Amino acid sequence: MVSELNVPALTIKPVAVSPGGAAWITLCRDLRLGFRRQAELINPPLFFLIVVTLFPLGISPDPAFLAKLAPGVIWIAALLATLLAMDSLFRGDYEDGALDLLLIVPQPLFMHVLAKVTAHWLLTGLPLLVLAPILALMLSLPSQAYTTLIASLALGTPLLSLLGAIGAALTVGIRRGGMLLSLLILPLYIPVLLLGTGAVVAASEGLPAAGQLLWLAVLLTLGLTLAPFAIAAGLKITASG
Amino acid sequence: MNWTWFHKLGSPKWFYEISSRWLPWLVILSLLLLVTGVVWGLAFAPAERFQGNSYRIIYIHVPAAFLAQATYVFMAIAGGVGLIWRMKMAEIAASCCAPIGASFTLLALLTGAIWGKPTWGAWWVWDARLTSMLILLFLYLGFMALQAAIDNKKTAARASAVLALVGLVNIPIIKYSVDWWFTLHQTASIKLTEKPAMPAEMYYPLFICLAGFYCFFAVVLILRLRAEILHREHKTGWVKALMSNKC
Amino acid sequence: MLTSLCWNNLSGDGLPVVTELLRVNQLVCERDERLLFKGLNFTLNTGEMLQVTGANGSGKTSLLRILATLTDDYEGEIYFAGQAIQAVLIAYRQQQLYIGHAPGIKGPLTPIENLRWLQGWYQSLSLHTIENALAKVGLHGYEDVPCYSLSAGQQRRVALAQLYLSHQALWILDEPFTAIDLKGVQHLESFLAEQASQGRSIILTTHHQLNVPDGLVKKLNVADYGE
């Protein structure tokens, strides 16, 4: 058969890296890219800081009043900062063709998606956690609520990244989709906001906040299991159109 | 089990033909139910002990709120069917549902506000149900905005179907978290729909109104679907034949 | 993965040996309610090159994107080594290298870093191998420069360096000669011809007359299948 066609027959050997290994490569690449663009790295925490500064200026600098406001203000600012950073998650890859390559890798797409969201959270979400205690201090949040604030942000912001990534995947093909992304995703952020602020408010009043934190953990687990599939489905749809 | 009806449902031509036979009956049925329910509810049902006549808005408010939620579920399921089985009609149905559902939600919000004025003394209070309704309206508007933003119709239908499914998973979470949040901040004591022991004379017309709203939904959906089918299939032979017969 | 396949023809060490790599049957593609092509058929054997031609907008890129499994918005069948590609999707994706219009080169990363992740999803590479491949495309001395400081042609060369690293059986190249200088094109042509003669299958779009031995290249004009 081979000689008949007068072409060399090809032996097909499997060519692939394990899903975990490939996802690790994606994670490292995105982190490296993030660190090469340091100017962009600083934007979300800076935005977080400025938005929080606006509240005492716009409402009242009274410490007692600010202390009541602090959980909500910090959470809303964190939510907006995460959201603003979200648009860049897939857009760069979409524009330079890297997203196409990601869609045809021999490993399951959701692993790569999870790696990308993780890298994105490490670059944009984690700095907010570091900054949060300083902002809490500026807003005179009672000191007993600090641990809860950090814990709620640590559980909540990855969830915000996962939900936001669904929106980013669905709007990636749309020019100037950033505004649309906010419209799609903000309603979905509401439970996270309610639980997050609820936990910090409870802690600042000296009440136990474990219930709210556990609920956040439940939602995070749910998000980690389901969101990557929604993101992958969204990417396949919008990038192939 | 026989699945031919399911496959038939996927064919726009078949749906267009069969729905023209259903439509008159549905119109008559929904008119009958709505007129009976509304007249009974507004004119003959007894006045409520505490709220007097102002409670009668429930004959519009409650069915609208019901349909607002049911439409979202229907839309998400239709979107999911369209995604999984690549069924054209399901995709079209999902996109046709959104404006209807958004209208029901808006109606529920408006009637809620009108009811709020005599009951709470304010047009808007952050009641758990009203807040959930408002968020539902945002979800509908997001769905419609996404659909409008993507030029390719197929891509638009599939992308918004994913969004609707994500919304469907989130709706119970949103609802329960808002309810929980409301119990923390609760000030108002009268809830809009949980009437302690509503007498039968009050809720019979409510059920009739509800059934009427469902039929009305079906009528509007079918009308929108038929228009959308003609628009999408305008290149096909059967639509051209249909149009030339009518002209 | 590969073990789930039932190949007709197995070599001594249990790996499948094939000659008919790709068969496309009655392919129909529509974009935005416009028919691009229908009834498109072709067979690609191992060691063959397929040059896809056609005017702008005739659907060359759409065809390549379908073959690269980037979209399933088409009708018709595609067989990889005799099996429907949906059934052997992972094995098929392992065996294809796709370089599109926008080849996914990241400006802030160096050529080495870019290649390390582009091919990293398929194989782990030593630094030496990557440097070798870069030298072959004439980028010796640019290994550690961020790609945004390279010219368009040099960036395209970074993407094409994948060809010197790839073990995949099928290469799908969308306009690979864009922005490449004359000497580079000649070099690339002879490399592609050499690879084809060793059993590699190559699908490419280009408007340029390929200068490779006769009988090696099949031509497919997408416009013939349009309306």
Side-chain angles (χ1 to χ4, degrees):
Chain A
M1 189 174 160
V2 174
S3 55
E4 262 174 32
L5 287 163
N6 197 23
V7 288
L10 188 85
T11 307
I12 292 185
K13 294 184 196 129
V15 187
V17 173
S18 71
W24 178 249
I25 288 172
T26 310
L27 179 76
C28 293
R29 180 201 67 152
D30 274 25
L31 286 178
R32 189 167 289 200
L33 263 174
F35 284 117
R36 292 277 160 86
R37 294 176 180 143
Q38 273 158 2
E40 283 172 42
L41 209 57
I42 199 79
N43 289 346
L46 203 59
F47 177 85
F48 187 42
L49 182 67
I50 293 173
V51 169
V52 169
T53 315
L54 293 180
F55 281 86
L57 296 176
I59 303 175
S60 157
D62 172 33
F65 183 65
L66 282 180
K68 268 195 90 171
L69 221 57
V73 169
I74 294 176
W75 256 98
I76 291 175
L79 191 144
L80 293 177
T82 323
L83 192 66
L84 277 191
M86 224 59 236
D87 192 43
S88 66
L89 176 55
F90 298 116
R91 193 162 299 278
D93 282 352
Y94 178 75
E95 280 163 3
D96 65 20
L99 188 59
D100 281 346
L101 302 175
L102 196 67
L103 287 173
I104 53 171
V105 287
Q107 298 91 11
L109 181 57
F110 75 88
M111 298 277 295
H112 290 278
V113 161
L114 201 55
K116 278 191 75 74
V117 177
T118 309
H120 195 261
W121 178 79
L122 289 172
L123 293 168
T124 61
L126 197 58
L128 304 186
L129 252 70
V130 179
L131 208 57
I134 304 168
L135 296 178
L137 189 80
M138 287 163 73
L139 295 176
S140 2
L141 185 79
S143 56
Q144 73 260 28
Y146 276 41
T147 353
T148 313
L149 176 69
I150 303 293
S152 70
L153 284 172
L155 290 167
T157 48
L159 190 54
L160 296 179
S161 291
L162 284 164
L163 285 170
I166 300 176
L170 291 174
T171 55
V172 75
I174 302 167
R175 242 173 246 275
R176 283 185 278 279
M179 192 73 183
L180 180 64
L181 168 67
S182 316
L183 294 183
L184 302 187
I185 293 307
L186 276 176
L188 304 180
Y189 275 4
I190 288 169
V192 187
L193 176 71
L194 295 180
L195 287 168
T197 46
V200 185
V201 168
S204 64
E205 287 169 357
L207 301 169
Q212 287 90 321
L213 291 180
L214 285 174
W215 269 112
L216 274 177
V218 167
L219 293 186
L220 179 60
T221 316
L222 196 69
L224 277 171
T225 21
L226 295 182
F229 293 99
I231 301 164
L235 283 177
K236 277 183 195 159
I237 290 165
T238 47
S240 75
Chain B
M1 189 165 171
N2 190 352
W3 284 95
T4 32
W5 63 272
F6 188 74
H7 293 295
K8 269 189 183 168
L9 209 59
S11 144
K13 182 171 180 267
W14 181 83
F15 183 84
Y16 191 86
E17 280 160 5
I18 196 85
S19 64
S20 60
R21 268 184 276 156
W22 294 344
L23 203 53
W25 297 106
L26 271 172
V27 172
I28 293 168
L29 189 64
S30 62
L31 274 178
L32 219 63
L33 285 168
L34 280 177
V35 170
T36 321
V38 168
V39 171
W40 188 355
L42 295 189
F44 298 103
E48 214 261 351
R49 209 157 12 127
F50 302 108
Q51 299 179 44
N53 282 325
S54 73
Y55 91 96
R56 291 185 197 275
I57 205 163
I58 61 163
Y59 295 112
I60 306 293
H61 175 80
V62 172
F66 238 86
L67 261 291
Q69 295 171 48
T71 307
Y72 198 93
V73 175
F74 182 80
M75 180 174 91
I77 293 173
V81 170
L83 266 185
I84 297 165
W85 288 290
R86 292 288 154 92
M87 200 166 123
K88 220 192 229 172
M89 277 308 298
E91 281 178 3
I92 301 176
S95 59
C96 288
C97 275
I100 309 175
S103 313
F104 280 131
T105 316
L106 200 61
L107 185 64
L109 279 173
L110 286 176
T111 50
I114 293 169
W115 194 8
K117 187 63 183 165
T119 315
W120 295 313
W123 292 109
W124 181 263
V125 289
W126 289 93
D127 166 75
R129 280 160 200 278
L130 283 179
T131 311
S132 299
M133 257 319 142
L134 186 64
I135 298 170
L136 185 64
L137 182 66
F138 294 156
L139 290 178
Y140 274 120
L141 295 179
F143 181 93
M144 285 152 70
L146 181 65
Q147 196 143 48
I150 302 177
D151 296 328
N152 185 320
K153 282 217 161 187
K154 253 183 210 168
T155 313
R158 283 179 199 164
S160 43
V162 171
L163 185 69
L165 285 172
V166 172
L168 188 65
V169 174
N170 269 275
I171 282 178
I173 299 173
I174 292 173
K175 193 170 159 40
Y176 283 109
S177 63
V178 169
D179 281 352
W180 167 79
W181 161 82
F182 183 65
T183 56
L184 287 184
H185 302 273
Q186 194 167 21
T187 45
S189 56
I190 303 168
K191 282 195 177 173
L192 283 188
T193 45
E194 274 174 26
K195 291 276 145 296
M198 197 192 227
E201 305 89 79
M202 281 188 195
Y203 65 66
Y204 281 147
L206 187 60
F207 283 143
I208 295 174
C209 274
L210 192 58
F213 263 71
Y214 267 103
C215 289
F216 176 70
F217 166 72
V219 169
V220 180
L221 180 65
I222 288 176
L223 286 174
R224 289 189 70 93
L225 277 172
R226 287 165 64 85
E228 187 66 27
I229 287 171
L230 290 184
H231 183 67
R232 290 204 188 195
E233 307 270 299
H234 69 276
K235 274 188 186 169
T236 57
W238 69 271
V239 174
K240 279 182 183 155
L242 195 76
M243 290 298 123
S244 56
N245 282 349
K246 284 200 178 162
C247 292
Chain C
M1 295 217 190
L2 269 176
T3 46
S4 67
L5 298 171
C6 37
W7 304 86
N8 306 326
N9 200 347
L10 292 176
S11 71
D13 49 359
L15 290 167
V17 177
V18 291
T19 49
E20 186 201 87
L21 199 69
L22 210 56
R23 179 155 47 91
V24 168
N25 206 356
Q26 295 294 326
L27 206 62
V28 183
C29 175
E30 220 177 69
R31 284 287 172 275
D32 300 318
E33 301 189 12
R34 195 168 70 88
L35 183 78
L36 288 178
F37 49 79
K38 66 174 177 192
L40 191 142
N41 301 306
F42 72 84
T43 312
L44 185 71
N45 292 320
T46 52
E48 274 183 339
M49 285 171 82
L50 180 76
Q51 184 184 3
V52 181
T53 56
N56 296 97
S58 58
K60 297 190 296 290
T61 296
S62 293
L63 174 64
L64 260 55
R65 287 177 70 87
I66 290 172
L67 295 177
T69 68
L70 268 165
T71 171
D72 46 13
D73 203 3
Y74 63 87
E75 282 161 50
E77 292 113 46
I78 304 172
Y79 297 94
F80 170 62
Q83 317 249 343
I85 53 164
Q86 287 85 358
V88 291
L89 192 62
I90 290 173
Y92 178 57
R93 284 181 171 175
Q94 288 177 358
Q95 289 305 327
Q96 55 140 344
L97 172 72
Y98 170 74
I99 302 182
H101 271 292
I105 298 298
K106 293 284 176 190
L109 300 184
T110 67
I112 290 182
E113 288 164 336
N114 266 304
L115 288 173
R116 181 151 277 164
W117 70 262
L118 279 172
Q119 271 295 302
W121 290 327
Y122 300 90
Q123 55 177 325
S124 47
L125 294 165
S126 72
L127 188 63
H128 180 71
T129 332
I130 297 178
E131 281 173 345
N132 252 345
L134 282 171
K136 294 238 173 72
V137 290
L139 286 177
H140 181 69
Y142 292 94
E143 291 92 344
D144 290 320
V145 200
C147 281
Y148 59 71
S149 64
L150 300 179
S151 73
Q154 283 173 319
Q155 291 195 20
R156 168 75 46 185
R157 280 165 189 260
V158 176
L160 291 173
Q162 286 181 81
L163 301 179
Y164 293 89
L165 299 168
S166 161
H167 292 300
Q168 284 104 335
L170 174 66
W171 291 351
I172 301 176
L173 314 174
D174 199 353
E175 301 287 353
F177 303 117
T178 311
I180 303 282
D181 57 35
L182 211 60
K183 211 173 137 214
V185 170
Q186 283 168 359
H187 188 75
L188 193 60
E189 276 175 344
S190 60
F191 176 68
L192 291 180
E194 177 203 315
Q195 286 295 313
S197 67
Q198 285 170 18
R200 184 100 51 199
S201 304
I202 302 164
I203 300 177
L204 76 167
T205 60
T206 178
H207 293 289
H208 137 115
Q209 184 69 40
L210 275 178
N211 186 19
V212 290
D214 289 340
L216 204 58
V217 186
K218 279 186 183 174
K219 287 202 177 173
L220 178 80
N221 189 352
V222 183
D224 291 347
Y225 301 90
E227 270 177 319

